[in-house]
Amino acid sequence: MLKKLSLAVAISSLLMSGSLMANTLTVGFSQIGSESGWRAAETSVAKTEAAKRGIDLKISDAQQKQENQIKAVRSFIAQGVDAIFIAPVVQTGWEPVLEEAKDYGIPVFLLDRTVSVDDDSLYMTSVAADDVLEGEVAGNWLINAVKDRQNCNVVELQGTVGSSVAIERKQGFDKTIKQAKNIQITRTQSGEFTRSKGKEVMESFIKAENNGKSICAVFSHNDDMAIGAIQAIKEAGLQPGKDILIVSIDAVPDIFRAMLKGETNATVELTPNMAGPALDALMAFKDKGVVPPKKIVTKSTLFLPQDAANELKIKQNLGY
Ligand code: AHR
């Protein structure tokens, strides 16, 4: 009788701790923060994709600080999660904590940004766009848009300093516009991927560039900073999308709304669904031992004003 009772107690405590719940995976996700509309969409898509697969996703918001991300990763290791997802705010400084995760046998998946480490066995895979290609797509659009102009001075709103995306988008854009003799970047500064900073930096560019009259185009590393720039251009009495051309990256609903008003010209898509492919890779690894490729690359489609109405509908249906 006593034996039966203690067996029942043991089973119920195992059930409470989740140890007997068949194949429930727990994933810790160290998210950067909520600096942009794209980032908010990525977080919400991650929750939906995890729920669809019956995965328990624990999200920690780092508020743009790498030190908070490192703390979150250590806490996930202590909790014994099955995998750790990281959207790394900056590219460097990850080795020690990634080595700790490796020592505990916890696979790490990088989402939307990459890290710079000598030993790439420190993470399982990265799900991200080809960021250099994104810059190239933006640059090629601009070359074509201004091919009949003698000169085009571009101002650039960069993303977070030290982030892989800001570094690589710049590389791709710079390399591409070098092919055109009429295009040059006259000012470049970080707008930290936020709408408010994008507006503030654009205001300073406008002041420094003959009240905006000598600016031909803006290359913005994301849509939110482009939306801030649109506001600054309007406040300076100029027409965004006409007096000053704008090309950005992300393809969030608000940029399509601006396109429909004729206030911006082009955007390169970055899907917010980074978690879905990472969760699939994790499940295939856990269930069948399938090791994913080192990079899972998402598409970088260029969208123009003629695509805006349709794309806006698609994004709204997806709930972004
Ligand atoms: O890492 C992806 C970038 O981060 C997005 O382009 C930007 O909007 C975000 O905040």
Side-chain angles (χ1 to χ4, degrees):
M1 177 67 187
L2 204 63
K3 254 189 187 169
K4 266 191 189 162
L5 196 66
S6 49
L7 187 65
V9 170
I11 289 174
S12 84
S13 69
L14 275 172
L15 278 171
M16 301 264 283
S17 73
S19 317
L20 280 190
M21 280 159 70
N23 297 330
T24 300
L25 292 175
T26 300
V27 175
F29 177 19
S30 169
Q31 177 58 294
I32 292 171
S34 50
E35 72 281 3
S36 64
W38 184 90
R39 182 70 51 202
E42 187 195 40
T43 302
S44 104
V45 174
K47 288 180 190 163
T48 311
E49 294 296 316
K52 266 193 217 165
R53 294 165 178 81
I55 287 175
D56 178 18
L57 184 71
K58 298 175 186 304
I59 302 182
S60 171
D61 178 335
Q63 309 203 328
Q64 309 299 316
K65 292 200 175 93
Q66 185 183 33
E67 65 199 73
N68 291 343
Q69 292 203 285
I70 291 172
K71 272 189 209 146
V73 171
R74 291 202 168 119
S75 147
F76 291 142
I77 294 172
Q79 291 168 53
V81 296
D82 296 294
I84 297 174
F85 289 4
I86 310 175
V89 61
V90 290
Q91 208 173 26
T92 55
W94 292 99
E95 271 100 345
V97 79
L98 293 182
E99 271 158 17
E100 287 168 38
K102 191 178 172 186
D103 288 346
Y104 280 88
I106 302 176
V108 170
F109 293 70
L110 305 175
L111 302 194
D112 78 82
R113 297 186 187 181
T114 53
V115 297
S116 160
V117 287
D118 289 336
D119 173 6
D120 75 0
S121 76
L122 292 177
Y123 62 88
M124 179 146 274
T125 185
S126 70
V127 182
D130 176 341
D131 301 315
V132 175
L133 176 66
E134 290 175 329
E136 288 170 3
V137 172
N140 279 320
W141 173 81
L142 186 65
I143 290 178
N144 190 47
V146 300
K147 62 178 183 303
D148 297 328
R149 301 189 192 189
Q150 262 191 344
N151 186 50
C152 180
N153 288 346
V154 180
V155 296
E156 179 184 34
L157 292 166
Q158 291 193 39
T160 302
V161 175
S163 64
S164 60
V165 271
I167 295 165
E168 291 169 2
R169 286 173 183 173
K170 177 161 186 55
Q171 264 172 21
F173 187 80
D174 285 358
K175 184 177 77 183
T176 305
I177 61 160
K178 267 201 190 117
Q179 300 160 30
K181 296 220 160 49
N182 59 341
I183 304 177
Q184 56 284 313
I185 295 177
T186 51
R187 298 192 185 264
T188 179
Q189 200 181 314
S190 173
E192 295 166 11
F193 278 133
T194 69
R195 221 172 260 214
S196 57
K197 192 75 183 169
K199 178 170 187 267
E200 188 187 311
V201 174
M202 189 65 199
E203 283 166 352
S204 72
F205 286 164
I206 289 171
K207 247 187 224 150
E209 292 274 354
N210 190 20
N211 204 26
K213 291 189 188 69
S214 36
I215 302 174
C216 155
V218 177
F219 168 45
S220 173
H221 288 197
N222 82 345
D223 287 346
D224 274 67
M225 294 187 294
I227 291 161
I230 289 171
Q231 200 51 42
I233 295 167
K234 289 208 276 195
E235 286 172 16
L238 295 168
Q239 284 194 300
K242 294 186 181 69
D243 297 326
I244 298 180
L245 303 177
I246 303 171
V247 56
S248 55
I249 295 167
D250 277 355
V252 295
D254 278 354
I255 209 73
F256 291 120
R257 292 190 182 97
M259 265 186 201
L260 290 171
K261 292 193 222 153
E263 293 180 342
T264 187
N265 308 91
T267 187
V268 184
E269 182 177 39
L270 177 68
T271 177
N273 186 8
M274 299 287 165
L279 291 168
D280 286 342
L282 169 64
M283 289 167 85
F285 177 67
K286 290 280 182 194
D287 294 348
K288 300 180 201 131
V290 178
V291 176
K294 211 68 211 175
K295 279 184 187 170
I296 299 175
V297 182
T298 64
K299 283 192 203 153
S300 300
T301 311
L302 178 72
F303 290 121
L304 301 172
Q306 60 264 31
D307 310 309
N310 192 38
E311 280 308 310
L312 184 56
K313 229 186 264 161
I314 293 172
K315 307 273 162 197
Q316 281 169 335
N317 287 341
L318 288 168
Y320 296 170

